[in-house]
Amino acid sequence: MAEKPNTASPIVGIDLGTTNSLVAVFEPGGPRVLGGDAGEILPSCVRYREDGPPIVGSEARERAVEFPRETVTSVKRLMGRSLADCGDEVPYLGCRIIEGPHHTARVELPWGRVVSPQEVSAEILRELKRRASEALGTEVSRAVVTVPAYFDDAQRQATRDAGRLAGLEVVRIVNEPTAAALAYGLGAGKETEPRTVAVYDLGGGTFDISILRITPPIEEGQTSFFQVLATAGDTRLGGDDIDRALVRMFTDEIAELLGLERGTLESFDAPTRRALIGFAEAVKMKLSEDESASVRIELGEDRVYERTVRRDELESLMEPWVDRTIEACRRAVGDAKASPGGSSLEIDRVILVGGSTRVPMVRRKVEEFFGLEPYCALDPDRVVALGAAVQAGIMSGGDLGMLLLDVIPLSLGIETQGGAVAKLITANSTVPARATEMFSTSVDGQTSIKIHVVQGEREMVEHCRSLGEFHLSGLPPMPAGIPQLEVEFLVDASGVLSVRAHERRSGKRASLQVVPNHGLTREEVESIEAESFAHAREDMTRHRIVDLIVNSKLDLKWIGERLAAYGDKLESGNRAELESLIASLSAMVADAERDWSSVDADAFYALKQELDSASVRLQEIGIAESLRRDAE
Ligand code: AMP
């Protein structure tokens, strides 16, 4: 039998954060964060350049003020979301955000290039992959990646896609609070009763509280089951607010010293503001250790602003923010109690995550609220990455002194347009497992949708094993792309797969139950895997071309309709360019449909991108027109 080339390649754990990202690996001594030249933590910041590859990390962050339109920060806030979804985030991001095809949010660079949030995240992942490969001395190509517990399927899928663009197979997406619990070894012990854990995560810009239930295995040989009972939080609350409040205190006092009115120093130039924020953050951090910290700022003409800040002063400044986090904890505990079987719920453990949980007042208030001393032995900046590495270790089959896992031997998915496979549950996921994904149609007026369930590692249906199919019929005719088909896969603890399909607009439902690994021996599973490795490159190209055909058709339809409606409002040069690109892309689609191997996937992708970029003005006109219509 063919050797499985991938088994030796390590799986790494990645915390892909809003502000910072980290990669870690599981080793015999435990999980370890892997470093780069500039330290372990990689700022999640990407600066694009017109004439070279992007710069990722500290250098991009340090010069963000100099290159505001080229630098993308906090891209996690845009992942898998429409422009309308993230409207209130846009002013905080610095770079220009526009609406891309299908209402998605895109970043437009000053020279007209448009990049998707997935591409930006892929740059961060590529750098983490490079660091990990260098540190481990072998090419890393598989990762466990964490996401916030409240991420929906589109956001999770976008995270997977970012991995794929970076050349990383995302073997598992793990909720950040679950990763934190795994880092502390919760779920690995000899417990027999379910435990409830609160994960309090206060970072630089966001606050999340999650209540998890960890259920020990019913039978030996299975793993614990992590369930998120409730989440709450605030996407605009964190340590940065404290830094800004301290800056306000300093500037008011400096104004007084200079005989100016309060508030007159609010609008500093960017470098001064950054310097002041730097002072404020240093004071805040020192006060986590000491009772007082001093600041000294030379104001020129022999004037000096000098001040000692006491911890109690900082605490009275911070109190309203910390109280807001406690209110969110109260809501989350209330919601968890309201969940099925949660009425008698008691929190057994509290875990702290995020740099701002180093503040003593935060720890005190959390302890007071939950009536428990929080777990904080691990570095709160690293705990999520360490937990991702623990999951990666489990999936690599490492001996973690933990329970053996019951896993799904082969990936499970459904057939999509053009005979490609969308995998909902990947091989080696532990049972029970659940995944939901949204699909739609690509033909106008479809009244029935076939759901063909397949198992296997290859990219095309013809190379996978068919598990069964069913139809969701009786749908009212709708234009392509409008039906919202939610497909849910659920594999129970004994490996039985239930597939449910629900079209949200019409409320139609259908379902199927199959036992996915029935009749397959371990040898058969291995030979299917070996086949998939042997054909991986060809399969990926074919899948990519099939995806390009489907997406190009949707773009051509969408752009064609808008061109017909608003073409007369475009500059004539832009209109001619669009018409010519539409003709070329239509021809490319026709060629690819005739014979996928006759077209070059990169050229196909480039042409589609060119059409997307050339249609930016048309999209803007379309948005303006629909806003005008809405207003009328
Ligand atoms: P994170 O988003 O988890 O990386 O957390 C970053 C936030 O933690 C920033 O606002 C930092 O200023 C804050 N932080 C890091 N270390 C400390 C510390 N020792 N005391 C107070 N805040 C800290």
Side-chain angles (χ1 to χ4, degrees):
M1 187 182 304
E3 217 31 30
K4 283 193 292 168
N6 236 358
T7 45
S9 117
I11 304 178
V12 293
I14 290 181
D15 169 7
L16 184 61
T18 310
T19 339
N20 292 309
S21 297
L22 279 168
V23 55
V25 68
F26 196 89
E27 291 180 332
R32 175 169 74 96
V33 172
L34 298 171
D37 310 335
E40 296 169 338
I41 290 178
L42 178 73
S44 307
C45 186
V46 179
R47 182 169 94 237
Y48 282 91
R49 295 183 294 171
E50 193 170 6
D51 52 1
I55 294 171
V56 183
S58 313
E59 192 190 334
R61 178 147 85 188
E62 274 154 25
R63 299 184 66 188
V65 180
E66 235 176 288
F67 299 99
R69 293 241 357 239
E70 290 90 334
T71 308
V72 191
T73 52
S74 301
V75 72
K76 189 169 173 181
R77 296 183 189 275
L78 303 180
M79 291 284 278
R81 302 178 77 193
S82 72
L83 185 63
D85 285 342
C86 40
D88 53 342
E89 315 279 356
V90 171
Y92 295 92
L93 295 170
C95 52
R96 186 169 144 79
I97 313 295
I98 59 165
E99 184 167 61
H102 320 304
H103 306 291
T104 51
R106 301 278 160 111
V107 177
E108 189 189 43
L109 298 166
W111 51 95
R113 181 175 167 202
V114 175
V115 285
S116 61
Q118 288 88 325
E119 288 171 275
V120 180
S121 294
E123 295 298 344
I124 299 165
L125 289 172
R126 206 169 279 134
E127 172 60 20
L128 294 171
K129 171 179 150 94
R130 191 194 64 73
R131 287 179 170 198
S133 301
E134 197 176 283
L136 298 173
T138 178
E139 186 65 17
V140 168
S141 59
R142 296 185 294 166
V144 170
V145 180
T146 58
V147 297
Y150 58 79
F151 254 29
D152 64 20
D153 293 307
Q155 292 168 300
R156 284 164 198 260
Q157 188 54 44
T159 306
R160 253 182 220 287
D161 290 344
R164 192 151 128 185
L165 291 175
L168 273 177
E169 184 196 348
V170 177
V171 290
R172 179 75 80 88
I173 298 251
V174 176
N175 289 322
E176 287 160 10
T178 302
L182 280 168
Y184 275 104
L186 298 175
K190 309 239 174 303
E191 309 274 341
T192 49
E193 290 300 311
R195 275 159 304 159
T196 309
V197 176
V199 181
Y200 176 102
D201 179 353
L202 186 61
T206 58
F207 167 66
D208 293 313
I209 170 79
S210 312
I211 313 289
L212 302 184
R213 164 123 63 204
I214 307 175
T215 310
I218 303 162
E219 290 168 32
E220 212 172 308
Q222 293 175 345
T223 184
S224 298
F225 181 50
F226 289 77
Q227 189 187 3
V228 180
L229 297 180
T231 63
D234 191 326
T235 54
R236 296 251 153 253
L237 193 161
D240 299 351
D241 294 300
I242 312 307
D243 303 343
R244 284 195 284 263
L246 275 172
V247 167
R248 217 168 303 122
M249 184 174 100
F250 296 160
T251 54
D252 281 348
E253 291 177 359
I254 294 174
E256 207 173 294
L257 192 77
L258 299 178
L260 301 169
E261 251 182 68
R262 277 172 157 239
T264 43
L265 296 179
E266 298 265 287
S267 48
F268 283 112
D269 58 12
T272 313
R273 212 176 147 69
R274 282 188 84 78
L276 278 173
I277 287 181
F279 278 124
E281 192 178 15
V283 164
K284 176 186 76 176
M285 288 185 177
K286 186 151 193 297
L287 290 174
S288 292
E289 303 296 322
D290 301 330
E291 287 299 326
S292 67
S294 16
V295 220
R296 188 187 149 86
I297 304 174
E298 310 253 351
L299 300 170
E301 296 173 14
D302 288 340
R303 281 187 294 194
V304 175
Y305 168 67
E306 213 168 359
R307 157 90 145 96
T308 299
V309 187
R310 292 186 320 274
R311 188 187 277 176
D312 62 325
E313 280 179 281
L314 178 76
E315 293 194 341
S316 55
L317 209 63
M318 288 183 64
E319 194 156 16
W321 276 284
V322 183
D323 287 347
R324 263 166 67 194
T325 69
I326 299 297
E327 274 318 302
C329 293
R330 204 181 307 281
R331 276 201 310 278
V333 171
D335 289 351
K337 279 190 195 290
S339 68
S343 54
S344 59
L345 171 139
E346 282 196 28
I347 307 283
D348 301 307
R349 297 260 193 288
V350 179
I351 295 175
L352 299 183
V353 182
S356 300
T357 59
R358 291 202 178 88
V359 174
M361 181 198 211
V362 169
R363 296 191 170 187
R364 217 170 48 231
K365 291 226 173 202
V366 171
E367 182 170 344
E368 261 166 38
F369 175 75
F370 288 103
L372 287 169
E373 191 182 338
Y375 260 38
C376 46
L378 295 174
D379 180 342
D381 294 326
R382 291 171 174 72
V383 56
V384 171
L386 294 173
V390 170
Q391 179 64 37
I394 294 172
M395 296 184 75
S396 307
D399 177 11
L400 308 193
M402 291 196 182
L403 294 158
L404 276 173
L405 301 167
D406 198 0
V407 297
I408 292 162
L410 291 167
S411 300
L412 299 167
I414 67 166
E415 176 174 354
T416 60
Q417 276 299 308
V421 177
K423 290 177 185 152
L424 274 88
I425 296 183
T426 50
N428 291 327
S429 299
T430 45
V431 296
R434 178 179 171 272
T436 314
E437 258 186 56
M438 294 302 296
F439 296 90
S440 194
T441 51
S442 56
V443 178
D444 287 336
Q446 246 177 278
T447 53
S448 165
I449 302 175
K450 182 177 90 172
I451 291 137
H452 182 193
V453 183
V454 297
Q455 178 184 44
E457 302 316 304
R458 301 280 301 268
E459 297 284 325
M460 304 306 293
V461 163
E462 66 198 74
H463 301 128
C464 290
R465 184 183 142 98
S466 171
L467 293 178
E469 62 180 55
F470 61 104
H471 286 83
L472 187 60
S473 329
L475 302 176
M478 289 182 261
I482 295 298
Q484 293 184 343
L485 180 67
E486 184 182 82
V487 177
E488 181 188 50
F489 273 38
L490 190 82
V491 181
D492 70 12
S494 38
V496 176
L497 167 71
S498 308
V499 182
R500 288 190 211 129
H502 172 205
E503 201 290 305
R504 286 189 183 170
R505 290 184 191 275
S506 58
K508 291 275 174 208
R509 292 171 189 274
S511 62
L512 173 79
Q513 196 171 72
V514 272
V515 182
N517 52 358
H518 173 75
L520 278 187
T521 62
R522 183 69 217 151
E523 286 69 30
E524 280 173 298
V525 169
E526 284 182 3
S527 104
I528 293 171
E529 280 177 352
E531 273 267 291
S532 94
F533 295 129
H535 291 93
R537 182 176 291 273
E538 182 191 314
D539 275 5
M540 286 298 281
T541 308
R542 184 160 171 200
H543 195 154
R544 196 170 158 217
I545 288 178
V546 167
D547 283 352
L548 278 167
I549 294 175
V550 173
N551 291 327
S552 298
K553 280 178 151 176
L554 286 170
D555 282 2
L556 284 166
K557 177 170 181 286
W558 191 87
I559 293 170
E561 281 169 6
R562 270 159 192 72
L563 191 62
Y566 316 121
D568 53 345
K569 295 192 168 56
L570 280 179
E571 245 178 61
S572 63
N574 188 197
R575 183 173 183 166
E577 183 192 11
L578 280 174
E579 281 165 353
S580 133
L581 286 169
I582 287 175
S584 315
L585 188 61
S586 306
M588 184 77 98
V589 168
D591 286 347
E593 282 189 314
R594 243 188 327 275
D595 175 9
W596 70 271
S597 63
S598 72
V599 297
D600 176 55
D602 288 334
F604 194 171
Y605 176 74
L607 185 59
K608 182 179 164 306
Q609 288 295 94
E610 215 182 322
L611 178 63
D612 283 350
S613 305
S615 66
V616 169
R617 181 71 200 120
L618 187 64
Q619 289 165 28
E620 287 171 351
I621 295 173
I623 296 166
E625 286 293 319
S626 48
L627 285 176
R628 193 181 53 72
R629 265 203 311 278
D630 285 351
E632 276 172 12

